[in-house]
Amino acid sequence: MTDATVSGTPAADSPHKPTNFLRGIIDRDLEQGTYASRRWAGTPGDAAHHAAGEPDPAKIRTRFPPEPNGYLHVGHAKSICLNFGLARDYGGVCHMRFDDTNPEKEEQEYVDAILDAVKWLGFGWDSSFNGQAQSHLYYASNYFDFMYRAAEALITAGLAYVDEQTPEEMRANRGDFTTPGTDSPFRSRSREENLARFREMRDGKLADGAAVLRAKIDMASPNINLRDPAIYRIRRATHHNTGDTWCIYPMYTFAHPIEDALEQITHSICTLEFEDQRPFYDWLLDKLATLGLIQQPVPRQYEFARLNLTYVITSKRKLKALVDDGVVSGWDDPRMPTIVGLRRRGYTPEAIQLFCERIGVSKSDSWIDYSTLDIALRDDLESKAHRGMAVLDPLKLVLTNWDEVMGAGHLEACSLPALPHPPEGTEAPVRHLKLGREVWIEREDFEEVPPKGYKRLFPGNKVRLKGGYVIECTGCTKDAEGQVTEVLATVVPDTKSGTPGADSVKVKAAITWVGAADGVEAEVRLYDRLFTDPHPDAGGKDFKASLNPDSFKVVKGYVEPSLAQAQPDQKFQFERFGYFVADRVDHAAGKPVFNKITGLKDGNWK
Ligand code: ATP
Ligand code: MG
């Protein structure tokens, strides 16, 4: 694998979608009318069902088929944007399908979370058909009856057999890359015997693992996946949808092509690890079409490279381990690459879509640099997020002549634009702040003995409080340990920003501040990457060995009133620090909690 950088990508609003090999295939299929003769009955079904339907109004059908066994992550976002995006761009439909043929590990909690995630990313599964709204939300477990029928049809056609070798014998007889497999002694059973035995499997007469149904293809095939793959197994497990109706379940490699065929999928897009399965996908659908069970033309499978993001793991199983072991606070911990985690961290659906568009689709594995996601976030929020000032490492600044020159207890109303470049034709939003005798400033903005080139506060130097007055530093007070407790300065009258006197005194720096009178104390959560290794689980590495001990830090700071009034989930640019979001779980009026999304520039971690 190589590290890939992304460059020369079109802007978010570019009318020219980046092209990729899948678009090339779809363009060709549409040009040649490959799928023009298909009919669609309005619901998934077999050949007869669809034959009675109408010409399919959808130009193409794609699908997003997660297993409901965990929360979706950023890798799934790539697949979602790809499948739903292609359907949208080509006048097609993308089916939201739960691949729930595995009775274990599947839960309603995950089903709900997955639907939420897809919707939040900006996609839906409704279309209109004959003027009626149709929902394309499907569950593979609803096809168990058909799958069973397909299995019996294969047996009857002499294309499947019940194998009762032990799992060890089966493994040994499969051969390997250099050795062809050996036929099972059960391979030559008669069709009648196979059918009877398969029905006994279904009826619970055999123990779990005692037999499997295998496709009868070729034990000497150079592709091991074609050496009579198992297509049904015995497993006494309660299924979340079908309960205890079945004690045999189809294998994924058998179920998936059938799901695609019943739903009239045209382009079945999956990740590269399924490339070796494609010959079986084609074999199976070809046989079922020939047997008249499914409509032709059958779906075709296309593989693309999965998303690998530096410093991130994208495996539900490994992410679950982080949750179960308490390494993170939950699936929605803002450091998690899950969709719920990214959402809580403050990433927007627009930024994730933009990211997916920019990384494109290819057939070779590579690592995408995490900064690509942050660049997309900044590009999305730059023109949208209101600006505000926050002090994250507060130090008190006292304007010692304030009462004398401004009036005792006076609070001066100041204002600043909330957006430097408001959308054309709209009025610039404004934020209001109050400047008084006491102000919070950033500890690093004062140096008693300034290093060379330092332009901020030090005795004798003048700076501007952004949007307020020019002040002149006169010194500081310290505690017994010599730690600075307060910075002392005087305000220079008649120098307020936006007044005629503003330019009368030249300064080299303007510093951010929050008024002690109207600033609100806030909890600010600073996140960094979860792993220190850019490829935490590559090559089977133990990802827990490279956990970043400094991935989470909480600071108490102060924010200006406009930030304190944030709605949960609202995003801001904290001037000089970067992008922050009001935490959607813990933020409340009067008790602000912000998460840092990312800095203004790459590697800008505080
Ligand atoms: P995991 O290994 O995390 O469990 P999975 O592939 O088993 O992932 P599924 O629920 O089967 O998870 O995935 C649904 C769809 O998302 C599949 O079509 C799969 O190809 C796609 N997908 C999963 N991970 C990625 C990834 N990292 N990049 C692109 N697509 C992905
Ligand atoms: Mg899977």
Side-chain angles (χ1 to χ4, degrees), residues 406-425:
M406 305 295 295
H410 175 73
L411 291 176
E412 178 73 14
C414 302
S415 62
L416 279 165
L419 278 181
H421 309 291
E424 225 166 291

Side-chain angles (χ1 to χ4, degrees), residues 3-7 9 74 307-312 342 345 347 351-352 354-356 358-359 367-380 528-529 534 579 597-605:
D3 274 42
T5 48
V6 177
S7 60
T9 43
V74 63
L307 169 65
N308 298 299
L309 198 55
T310 56
Y311 300 101
V312 160
L342 292 169
R345 176 73 168 267
Y347 288 94
I352 296 174
L354 186 58
F355 165 74
C356 290
R358 287 178 176 177
I359 60 176
W367 285 84
I368 300 291
D369 199 272
Y370 194 87
S371 63
T372 313
L373 180 56
D374 280 345
I375 293 167
L377 190 269
R378 292 187 201 108
D379 286 350
D380 179 40
D528 199 348
R529 45 180 68 118
Y579 292 97
I597 315 171
T598 186
L600 290 174
K601 287 206 276 308
D602 217 35
N604 179 4
W605 288 102

Side-chain angles (χ1 to χ4, degrees), residues 65-67 69 76 252 273-274 316:
E67 228 186 306
N69 62 354
H76 294 110
Y252 177 84
E273 61 269 28
F274 292 99
K316 274 183 274 183

Side-chain angles (χ1 to χ4, degrees), residues 394-464:
L395 179 61
K396 180 75 70 69
L397 167 80
V398 181
L399 298 171
T400 51
N401 66 340
W402 182 270
D403 287 355
E404 196 185 313
V405 299
M406 305 295 295
H410 175 73
L411 291 176
E412 178 73 14
C414 302
S415 62
L416 279 165
L419 278 181
H421 309 291
E424 225 166 291
T426 65
E427 214 174 302
V430 177
R431 18 192 278 252
H432 301 281
L433 319 95
K434 290 205 167 67
L435 180 59
R437 184 172 180 273
E438 297 194 345
V439 173
W440 295 111
I441 62 165
E442 209 60 49
R443 188 167 284 276
E444 64 172 25
D445 285 352
F446 171 75
E447 292 283 354
E448 197 176 9
V449 182
K452 200 164 175 281
Y454 190 80
K455 298 196 179 71
R456 288 166 277 168
L457 287 168
F458 56 87
N461 195 37
K462 292 194 185 79
V463 301
R464 175 177 295 285

Side-chain angles (χ1 to χ4, degrees), residues 187-234:
R187 199 174 197 264
S188 49
R189 280 176 148 167
S190 72
R191 297 173 195 208
E192 295 69 31
E193 195 187 342
N194 276 316
L195 198 54
R197 207 64 182 140
F198 186 49
R199 288 179 180 169
E200 283 169 11
M201 282 172 61
R202 177 199 59 190
D203 296 339
K205 306 249 165 66
L206 279 78
D208 281 17
V212 291
L213 183 69
R214 296 177 76 171
K216 194 171 184 175
I217 308 177
D218 179 7
M219 285 306 290
S221 171
N223 182 341
I224 294 183
N225 296 299
L226 289 181
R227 293 184 189 170
D228 294 6
I231 58 180
Y232 255 97
R233 66 199 166 120
I234 308 171

